[in-house]
Amino acid sequence: AQKITQTQPGMFVQEKEAVTLDCTYDTSDQSYGLFWYKQPSSGEMIFLIYQGSYDEQNATEGRYSLNFQKARKSANLVISASQLGDSAMYFCAMRLNNNDMRFGAGTRLTVKP
Amino acid sequence: NAGVMQNPRHLVRRRGQEARLRCSPMKGHSHVYWYRQLPEEGLKFMVYLQKENIIDESGMPKERFSAEFPKEGPSILRIQQVVRGDSAAYFCASSPAEPTSGRDPYEQYFGPGTRLTVT
């Protein structure tokens, strides 16, 4: 089965600390892409970070980094130095072939002051 | 370069009415995808269209829902005789016809969504 799993419905983190949001995936495809999106209360999907299946280095975008462990089929998002504005839903997604995109159920992150 | 545009952003319909959601893809993109997000859930694929063609509608409910992407104009997702369970956010995404040299060759770019409320 081709699916993506986020096992943390909700997470709390203290402001300025780092937090890891978990994501595991299952696919038999050799070529795929992994994405993380942020969805604030306003509802839009904001792209955060991307990791290609053939990329050997973990992706980083500012305070976001993706801990890609291909053998374990995991693609955890690490947010460093959390800010209050980071409070939102976070979705992991996997692009399989050229048009098949699967999303996890999401993790609601709350940053506490 | 405008991104994917969706309108309306919010739509309220009474049970039994029709809902029409519009999506204009990014300039140069000829592939459109529709997703539905129920409250507190992730996005679920509904349909994939190219100009004048439905490529994959495996995620579309069998009744009341239809989608089109005409040669000219936006893509339309149409829901007939809406029911309360249709209340959701509907997202459109677009991608170019050919793989690109960007971060992902088949990346889909998302619009802001339309929030449908059925009363």
Side-chain angles (χ1 to χ4, degrees), chain A residues 32-35 37 39 41-45 47 50-52 55 61 89 91 95-106 108, chain B residues 9-10 31 33 35 37 40-45 48 55-56 89 91 95 97 102-113 115:
Chain A
Y32 50 90
L34 296 159
F35 297 80
Y37 294 90
Q39 188 177 44
S41 57
S42 52
E44 70 269 33
M45 297 290 282
F47 166 82
Y50 163 78
Q51 180 85 39
D55 295 341
E61 293 274 356
M89 284 290 288
F91 291 97
R95 190 272 305 154
L96 293 164
N97 52 34
N98 62 339
N99 59 46
D100 191 351
M101 193 92 163
R102 307 285 174 96
F103 284 81
R108 182 173 297 282
Chain B
R9 294 292 307 276
H10 300 272
H31 294 196
Y33 312 80
Y35 294 84
Q37 184 183 28
E40 302 302 314
E41 293 188 11
L43 277 67
K44 296 280 182 357
F45 168 78
Y48 162 38
I55 306 303
D56 180 356
F91 287 91
S95 69
R103 57 188 172 223
D104 181 80
Y106 301 102
E107 183 172 355
Q108 298 176 19
Y109 294 81
F110 284 86
R115 270 129 201 97

Side-chain angles (χ1 to χ4, degrees), chain B residues 42-81:
Chain B
L43 277 67
K44 296 280 182 357
F45 168 78
M46 298 180 74
V47 62
Y48 162 38
L49 309 104
Q50 297 175 13
K51 289 276 187 184
E52 299 183 287
N53 271 317
I54 297 175
I55 306 303
D56 180 356
E57 57 182 347
S58 57
M60 285 277 269
K62 294 286 183 268
E63 296 178 349
R64 303 187 296 108
F65 284 72
S66 62
E68 62 176 11
F69 188 17
K71 189 175 179 182
E72 302 291 337
S75 174
I76 307 286
L77 179 67
R78 184 181 176 207
I79 312 172
Q80 295 178 291
Q81 299 173 334

